[in-house]
Amino acid sequence: MTPLAAAANENLAEISNYLIYSSMAVYMLAFFAHIAEWTFGSRSKVARTAAALTAAKEAGAARSAAPAVQVRGKAGATAVLDEPKVTTRSTTGTRDVPDGPGAAGGTVQGDLYGRIAVSLTALAFLVEAAGVVARALSVQRAPWGNMYEFSITFSTVAVGAYLVLLALKKNIRWLGLILVTTVLLDLGIAVTWLYTDSDQLVPALHSYWLWIHVSTAIFCGAVFYIGAAGAVLYLFRDSYESQLEAGRTPGKFRTSVLERLPSAASLDKFSYRINAAVFPLWTFTIIAGAIWAGDAWGRYWGWDPKEVWSFVTWVAYACYLHARATAGWKGRKAAYLALFAFACWIWNYYGVNILLSGKHSYAGV
């Protein structure tokens, strides 16, 4: 590489760093805008969930107290029939409860701050994406050859997936505050502890499979994260609905926050659909990695820690999807299993890369 080209690459690396730090600043503004959305939204009179549960109980009591039905026969005789009982199949987390009004709480001012937050998030996404592209140009390869590059790309893809769902008119703005907070944490760790200067990869990684295998792994992890966030919120909302159903009164702050979320049933369905949609791509990621390993190291599977935990993650999500498809494992049990599966993915990234050694040690700090 000529000195001029080396200087150009160094400048691009500096531009990338500047853009990443700039995106963090914009994400911080989006964070405060989301806080304002939740704050002003809490001033609305929501109480829809409690009213819906009360109405459901009253409707059930009215049905149980309904009068018997008299049927007249051909010969003038009458017979008294009890009211037919309607049996519904219910599962944990499934109640006849409407979705909450969202973080804005149905208020105009809250909605305004929510729109500002989404706009700032979109701007930060564009700035961060430009930083990832500048990093790729500085190293002249795919921008995910180490943990720093993987982290900044991961958060970019996670925010991109969130914005795409919003563009598709999905009601997920309630996820914005959690997402922006996590992205700030991810970028903070990346620039503080994981930063690595622009450099070329080891010879074994000079392959087009770097674009295929690692890019799909990043995308799967970003979508798995959204599914895990839905599972966490489901657990909180389900506990809240259970309290109301039992006649207990949650605290004001708890009520103000959880009442505005979608119902537990909606969150359960959201998490399941997200995880189910991306699971086939995670399967492809593992297969692509095995093919790449065969080209690079002459074997498809070598029980490397990264390979083992990728497979463990696959098994965990497969068990979740299987359990979620059976009536007995819907709800809280399935949510716990989904979070365990995502914890396996997180360990496979941070724990395996930092604490364990193997063929994938090049991805370390």
Side-chain angles (χ1 to χ4, degrees):
M1 181 181 297
T2 64
L4 183 60
N9 291 341
E10 185 177 351
N11 290 335
L12 285 171
E14 292 178 358
I15 292 174
S16 173
N17 296 339
Y18 173 78
L19 290 172
I20 294 301
Y21 278 104
S22 298
S23 70
M24 293 177 65
V26 182
Y27 278 128
M28 184 62 70
L29 294 176
F31 171 81
F32 287 119
H34 276 297
I35 290 291
E37 178 188 16
W38 281 93
T39 300
F40 286 100
S42 66
R43 298 180 180 180
S44 64
K45 296 180 180 180
V46 281
R48 293 179 175 87
T49 304
L53 289 174
T54 303
K57 284 186 176 181
E58 292 177 353
R63 285 196 299 268
S64 62
V69 179
Q70 289 189 352
V71 179
R72 183 177 299 277
K74 291 183 179 180
T78 60
V80 178
L81 301 178
D82 293 332
E83 180 196 17
K85 296 181 179 180
V86 179
T87 303
T88 58
R89 185 181 183 184
S90 61
T91 57
T92 304
T94 302
R95 302 178 182 88
D96 187 16
V97 179
D99 291 338
T107 63
V108 175
Q109 195 167 12
D111 182 66
L112 174 62
Y113 281 108
R115 292 177 183 274
I116 293 174
V118 171
S119 299
L120 289 171
T121 302
L123 176 60
F125 163 76
L126 294 176
V127 175
E128 186 182 9
V132 173
V133 172
R135 178 76 176 195
L137 294 175
S138 71
V139 294
Q140 299 180 0
R141 57 167 171 79
W144 40 74
N146 51 60
M147 289 187 69
Y148 169 74
E149 295 173 356
F150 191 103
S151 294
I152 62 175
T153 307
F154 170 83
S155 57
T156 303
V157 174
V159 175
Y162 167 74
L163 294 175
V164 167
L165 290 174
L166 285 178
L168 294 175
K169 306 300 182 182
K170 302 298 181 181
N171 180 25
I172 63 163
R173 204 167 79 187
W174 43 266
L175 185 61
L177 179 59
I178 296 177
L179 176 67
V180 170
T181 304
T182 307
V183 167
L184 284 170
L185 179 62
D186 173 73
L187 292 178
I189 293 174
V191 300
T192 305
W193 292 297
L194 303 180
Y195 182 78
T196 304
D197 290 330
S198 300
D199 199 1
Q200 294 303 311
L201 300 175
V202 296
L205 301 183
H206 285 288
S207 171
Y208 59 88
W209 284 106
L210 176 66
W211 292 91
I212 301 173
H213 171 64
V214 184
S215 63
T216 55
I218 293 173
F219 180 80
C220 289
V223 179
F224 280 148
Y225 159 75
I226 294 177
V232 169
L233 292 178
Y234 159 77
L235 292 174
F236 282 106
R237 173 75 186 205
D238 180 67
S239 175
Y240 170 73
E241 291 181 6
S242 297
Q243 282 188 298
L244 291 178
E245 199 171 33
R248 298 192 296 271
T249 304
K252 290 184 178 180
F253 178 78
R254 180 181 174 88
T255 299
S256 174
V257 173
L258 297 180
E259 186 125 45
R260 285 176 277 168
L261 292 176
S263 66
S266 296
L267 289 170
D268 182 42
K269 186 184 299 181
F270 170 78
S271 179
Y272 169 69
R273 288 179 174 177
I274 288 291
N275 289 322
V278 79
F279 179 74
L281 188 59
W282 181 247
T283 304
F284 169 78
T285 300
I286 296 177
I287 295 173
I291 296 174
W292 187 12
D295 291 342
W297 300 315
R299 51 77 174 164
Y300 294 101
W301 189 266
W303 297 105
D304 182 78
K306 177 70 69 172
E307 296 170 349
V308 171
W309 278 99
S310 294
F311 181 68
V312 170
T313 303
W314 183 90
V315 172
Y317 273 108
C319 291
Y320 161 74
L321 294 176
H322 174 73
R324 178 60 176 75
T326 60
W329 275 82
K330 290 181 181 179
R332 300 188 70 86
K333 292 180 180 179
Y336 289 135
L337 189 51
L339 293 178
F340 171 76
F342 184 68
C344 290
W345 191 94
I346 290 294
W347 166 257
N348 191 28
Y349 177 51
Y350 286 105
V352 172
N353 285 345
I354 296 175
L355 302 178
L356 303 180
S357 61
K359 287 285 189 179
H360 292 76
S361 58
Y362 60 84
V365 181

